Amino acid sequence: MRTSKVFLTTLWVTALSVLSPAFAVASHQEEKKTDTVPFNLPLKDKKILFVLSSKAKLGGESPRKAGVWAESLAAPYEILTQQGAKISLASVEGGKAPVDPRSENSDFATAYTKQFRKDAQGQELLAHTMRLSDVQAADYDAICYTSSYGMFYDLVDNPDSIRLLTEFERAKKPIGLTSQGPLVLKNVKDAKGGVLVKGKVVTAFRNSEEAGSKLALDHNLFPISILKTMDHGRTYRTAALPEDQFLKELKLVGTVPFLTETLLKSQGAVYKSRKNWESFVVEDLTNDGAILLTAQNPDSIELWSKAFIQILLNQQAVETKIATGGAREFSGEGEGLSL
């Protein structure tokens, strides 16, 4: 009897010694399988390129620091990555891209800028942007430009920026631009050699918003809530001036070379806007080129980001609507937006 127990015990131990590695391997494979299963995120297969200015300072009559406006990067980065999108950052010079210090102070801080400052991956990308000349349009599904006063100087005439925008437009890939961002289209041509923005429905930073922000800066009328509720009389009067007088009146000569709204209108774009600082986004549907999504001001960037998700998810459906012409408009808390 004792011999039988010893035999059974030996057999049991032997069986465990043989089977345990098999169980261990199976368990490990199951863990690996779980690790490699992608999250069911709607944009997990989308790669989006964000282009930033490398200009850190502006000269002229009103010298000041420049750099990307924090909200114009933070909000779309956080919103799009939460949906699984893979974001890459590129700047003219590569390396660490400057951030406008005003946009990071408490007057302009938002939940997105605070979140982005704590986002290790986002901060790593910002500190090591790719050089724009090394970027190929074929590697991305969409391109976006963050807003910055520096882009007047290092992106408007930049051959690599013009090349990328042209390639995205020809490939009918979405182009996203916020606030002053549409100014990068100044030297981009359509397939027939004409001005790309001619006839396109767009929005951008209003001249009156440009005037209001400069007057607020001069008179320290911050936080932004004061700027939004202040008397707009002078801002609108200034905005009605010819461009050269506008820049002289606000001491922006040599600092801001031209006004985005004025540029777009002069090139034949169908410019639309809402009141100063209202959230407003426009998706152009006027021809068979790239899908163009523009936002009026920093307050529009969250709405713009959510609209951009819709475009990326329904790109094929949107393309079928292009022949009808016109535009889709999004405003307020998301009017016209179904996500």
Side-chain angles (χ1 to χ4, degrees):
M1 186 70 177
R2 184 178 178 183
T3 303
S4 298
K5 287 183 178 180
V6 171
F7 174 76
L8 289 173
T9 301
T10 303
L11 182 62
W12 177 243
V13 171
T14 303
L16 283 177
S17 65
V18 172
L19 292 175
S20 292
F23 283 128
V25 170
S27 177
H28 180 62
Q29 288 177 341
E30 187 64 31
E31 288 176 3
K32 288 185 66 177
K33 182 179 179 182
T34 302
D35 290 341
T36 57
V37 173
F39 291 105
N40 188 26
L41 297 174
L43 299 183
K44 62 183 177 63
D45 297 322
K46 299 295 184 180
K47 296 180 180 179
I48 306 172
L49 175 69
F50 274 75
V51 179
L52 289 68
S53 168
S54 292
K55 188 79 170 176
K57 293 182 180 180
L58 302 179
E61 291 185 277
S62 299
R64 61 185 179 192
K65 293 182 179 179
V68 60
W69 191 260
E71 177 78 352
S72 72
L73 173 61
Y77 178 87
E78 297 298 337
I79 291 171
L80 293 170
T81 54
Q82 285 171 10
Q83 299 301 314
K86 298 176 180 63
I87 305 293
S88 296
L89 304 184
S91 63
V92 175
E93 297 178 3
K96 187 175 182 178
V99 177
D100 190 323
R102 289 187 305 142
S103 69
E104 291 193 302
N105 67 33
S106 58
D107 293 336
F108 296 100
T110 68
Y112 293 115
T113 60
K114 293 175 182 177
Q115 184 177 353
F116 184 71
R117 292 187 72 174
K118 298 177 182 178
D119 191 311
Q121 184 174 356
Q123 292 300 313
E124 178 71 12
L125 290 174
L126 185 61
H128 301 91
T129 65
M130 299 179 294
R131 188 181 293 272
L132 196 59
S133 59
D134 295 333
V135 176
Q136 300 301 317
D139 296 333
Y140 298 94
D141 299 294
I143 188 171
C144 302
Y145 280 69
T146 59
S147 56
S148 165
Y149 282 101
M151 64 199 314
F152 282 95
Y153 294 94
D154 66 355
L155 283 172
V156 173
D157 300 317
N158 184 281
D160 292 302
S161 176
I162 295 170
R163 168 182 61 83
L164 286 168
L165 287 165
T166 301
E167 291 173 356
F168 272 90
E169 197 276 335
R170 299 294 191 274
K172 301 182 183 180
K173 294 180 179 180
I175 297 173
L177 307 164
T178 63
S179 297
Q180 295 103 334
L183 62 84
V184 298
L185 300 176
K186 181 176 184 286
N187 296 312
V188 182
K189 306 297 183 183
D190 62 21
K192 297 180 180 179
V195 178
L196 180 65
V197 297
K198 185 176 182 179
K200 287 188 174 291
V201 185
V202 297
T203 188
F205 209 45
R206 300 181 66 182
N207 290 353
S208 53
E209 288 173 319
E210 195 75 73
S213 60
K214 179 59 168 62
L215 290 169
L217 180 65
D218 289 346
H219 299 285
N220 198 30
L221 293 175
F222 293 108
I224 193 67
S225 57
I226 298 177
L227 177 61
K228 293 177 181 177
T229 58
M230 66 183 285
D231 177 17
H232 293 297
R234 186 182 174 190
T235 65
Y236 288 120
R237 287 195 300 273
T238 305
L241 294 172
E243 185 174 83
D244 58 342
Q245 293 182 36
F246 177 106
L247 297 175
K248 185 176 181 180
E249 172 78 13
L250 295 179
K251 298 181 180 180
L252 288 172
V253 175
T255 304
V256 176
F258 57 84
L259 300 171
T260 307
E261 176 187 341
T262 301
L263 168 71
L264 294 171
K265 290 179 177 178
S266 70
Q267 291 194 319
V270 180
Y271 177 83
K272 293 191 174 186
S273 67
R274 296 291 171 89
K275 293 180 180 179
N276 283 1
W277 316 113
E278 282 192 10
S279 182
F280 184 59
V281 174
V282 175
E283 177 191 353
D284 175 76
L285 299 172
T286 57
N287 62 27
D288 60 354
I291 299 167
L292 182 62
L293 188 73
T294 52
Q296 179 177 320
N297 51 40
D299 280 19
S300 308
I301 293 173
E302 180 179 10
L303 179 61
W304 174 89
S305 302
K306 293 176 180 178
F308 207 75
I309 291 174
Q310 187 181 57
I311 287 174
L312 290 168
L313 291 177
N314 303 296
Q315 188 171 347
Q316 188 62 42
V318 171
E319 286 179 356
T320 63
K321 299 177 184 178
I322 288 177
T324 65
R328 282 199 299 175
E329 298 179 2
F330 310 92
S331 61
E333 296 300 319
E335 177 186 342
L337 188 63
S338 56
L339 292 178

